[in-house]
Amino acid sequence: MRVDNVKYQTIWLKDRGTVQVIDQRKLPFDFRIVNLKSTEDIYKAIKEMVVRGAPLIGVTASYGIYLALVNASAWDWKGQLKEAMERLKSARPTAINLEFALNQHKERLANIYSLEEARNQARKTADELLEQEKESCRKIGENGLSLIEKIAKEKDSEPVNILTHCNAGWLATIDYGTATAPIYLAHDKGIKLHVWVDETRPRNQGARLTAWELEKHGIPYTVIADNTGGLLMQQGMVDMVITGSDRTAANGDVANKIGTYLKALAANDNDVPFYVAVPLSSIDMNIERGVNGIPIEQRHGDEVKYIDGYDKGNITTILLTPENARVANYGFDVTPAKYVTWLITEKGLCKPNKKEIKKLFRS
Ligand code: MRU
């Protein structure tokens, strides 16, 4: 995607030992690129959410393994590789893409015995995953487009109102986004759209990141407080919901940013279609049922107690609660499959049930 007319993706290899990413903690106030040179840099970038979003977490971790081998010593690279795998795996628990990326390396490096060969293989694996994720999002855009086109026809010249929760935009992936891919494509094809943007707490990823992305792309949007979606749906102001997913279970239950479940309930109550855009790399066939099966990340309570904002040219953090307030900070929730109208995948639209999801992996 373009940022002020310069083409960007969220991550790239600058030189043999340097991965560059956009620092998402600073957006929308500051656009900064950071250098990551070691597995520890990559671990911190994922943990502290310099990078976030399931597909981007996976690709970043994949380059983390490559960097581990760039920096490894010839006599103990297998040991160092193992340590890097364990360290990266512990960075964030919910997005399955992290495990997916590490398992890819594990399989491909299993029968390699020279460090040089391992480095080359790891670089190839990470580069391929990056391209594959980009292509999956592009196809998710194509496969979701018809859903928007259909409503656009019914609405004639009125804009299609789409609600999206959190940031499943290009910043959460490599390019295009998952939930936003059909939105960008529809807009580029001249379909009139308007996007309701939420996740205004705990991380404000909608208000900060999705709003920034849509603005840069010239798509009309309105930021709403998280509690507003239900009212808008009751008043017929939402034609569809499209969200992303950090991990989808074999039965079609969908883990996504906290608050998604409540949007799905409201959508169901108001007959608003609820679509989940998800690449196959975010589907975990090893978890039968998502509800009570997908691990839910609990993050530091300070994300709830404090809020970041922009004041006189500086990003500042202020306290929101009584100083000693006890807080809980669950990062994700799980929407049962029964509330999901379609999964939008790179292989096409899919009903959220085990039989149909299994077919995706065969075709
Ligand atoms: O905690 P985050 O920001 O890494 O959460 C990821 C998300 O932004 C979403 O839940 C997203 O909808 C799924 S990732 C494409």
Side-chain angles (χ1 to χ4, degrees):
M1 305 297 288
R2 293 186 171 275
V3 180
D4 304 331
N5 274 330
V6 181
K7 180 132 186 45
Y8 278 98
Q9 58 185 36
T10 50
I11 182 167
W12 61 95
L13 199 59
K14 180 173 176 272
D15 55 46
R16 185 178 171 277
T18 315
V19 172
Q20 289 195 314
V21 295
I22 299 167
D23 187 345
Q24 302 197 20
R25 296 165 310 174
K26 308 265 186 241
L27 290 171
F29 314 118
D30 196 2
F31 185 82
R32 229 179 257 182
I33 308 295
V34 292
N35 292 336
L36 309 174
K37 289 176 171 287
S38 65
T39 311
E40 197 52 26
D41 287 352
I42 295 263
Y43 168 81
K44 282 196 188 134
I46 296 173
K47 179 104 189 147
E48 291 164 16
M49 293 176 73
V50 174
V51 293
R52 24 69 52 197
L56 178 57
I57 289 173
V59 172
T60 309
S62 195
Y63 280 109
I65 293 300
Y66 164 69
L67 287 183
L69 292 170
V70 167
N71 297 320
S73 40
W75 59 92
D76 183 32
W77 67 269
K78 287 237 174 199
Q80 289 164 24
L81 175 64
K82 195 164 168 259
E83 264 173 35
M85 293 260 183
E86 277 159 19
R87 183 77 173 145
L88 291 171
K89 194 171 169 204
S90 71
R92 293 194 69 193
T94 300
I96 186 62
N97 300 58
L98 178 52
E99 224 173 293
F100 177 92
L102 298 178
N103 286 342
Q104 262 190 344
H105 281 295
K106 221 180 251 170
E107 275 166 30
R108 296 184 189 182
L109 293 170
N111 297 316
I112 291 183
Y113 298 95
S114 102
L115 174 56
E116 199 48 40
E117 209 188 318
R119 265 182 205 142
N120 293 339
Q121 178 58 61
R123 162 89 194 259
K124 191 163 170 271
T125 302
D127 287 350
E128 276 174 16
L129 182 62
L130 179 144
E131 290 305 325
Q132 180 199 316
E133 290 293 8
K134 216 166 32 176
E135 183 57 9
S136 296
C137 287
R138 198 186 61 73
K139 287 190 177 147
I140 284 173
E142 284 175 356
N143 295 334
L145 177 66
S146 60
L147 301 168
I148 300 178
E149 280 175 333
K150 188 168 166 274
I151 294 193
K153 264 188 209 138
E154 288 162 13
K155 293 198 77 177
D156 205 9
S157 58
E158 286 296 300
V160 178
N161 286 303
I162 303 172
L163 186 144
T164 191
H165 185 70
C166 193
N167 176 261
W170 71 269
L171 290 169
T173 64
I174 309 307
D175 210 348
Y176 311 108
T178 53
T180 55
I183 296 174
Y184 286 130
L185 195 56
H187 172 82
D188 293 350
K189 285 195 143 198
I191 294 175
K192 264 196 181 167
L193 299 171
H194 165 260
V195 184
W196 297 109
V197 174
D198 65 23
E199 209 283 76
T200 47
R201 292 248 75 202
R203 295 275 319 183
N204 301 297
Q205 307 286 49
R208 293 181 62 161
L209 303 179
T210 305
W212 179 81
E213 275 194 26
L214 294 175
E215 193 161 305
K216 291 281 170 215
H217 205 79
I219 298 183
Y221 70 90
T222 306
V223 176
I224 48 173
D226 282 349
N227 300 327
T228 311
L231 173 78
L232 297 178
M233 291 187 214
Q234 277 176 334
Q235 297 197 347
M237 293 162 81
V238 181
D239 295 305
M240 63 172 76
V241 179
I242 313 182
T243 74
S245 171
D246 297 271
R247 185 181 316 210
T248 291
N251 71 341
D253 290 351
V254 168
N256 195 50
K257 178 53 45 119
I258 192 86
T260 305
Y261 173 40
L262 293 177
K263 301 291 138 52
L265 288 176
N268 182 263
D269 194 42
N270 291 284
D271 292 324
V272 173
F274 187 92
Y275 303 123
V276 175
V278 58
L280 268 56
S281 59
S282 300
I283 299 180
D284 185 353
M285 293 308 279
N286 294 319
I287 291 193
E288 283 293 324
R289 298 162 61 82
V291 177
N292 294 324
I294 296 176
I296 301 294
E297 177 178 7
Q298 287 193 53
R299 296 186 57 81
H300 201 287
D302 282 358
E303 290 180 356
V304 174
K305 272 176 85 169
Y306 294 85
I307 195 161
D308 283 349
Y310 199 57
D311 182 37
K312 300 183 195 85
N314 295 311
I315 301 174
T316 15
T317 304
I318 55 165
L319 180 65
L320 280 177
T321 61
E323 187 126 28
N324 297 320
R326 235 178 86 180
V327 291
N329 187 9
Y330 294 90
F332 302 89
D333 59 26
V334 181
T335 298
K338 65 182 174 185
Y339 298 125
V340 177
T341 315
W342 288 108
L343 298 172
I344 310 171
T345 78
E346 65 268 40
K347 297 274 182 80
L349 300 181
C350 172
K351 276 290 162 199
N353 62 61
K354 189 167 180 186
K355 193 167 151 231
E356 296 303 313
I357 293 175
K358 253 182 154 176
K359 284 187 198 160
L360 296 174
F361 288 89
R362 278 191 231 123
S363 56

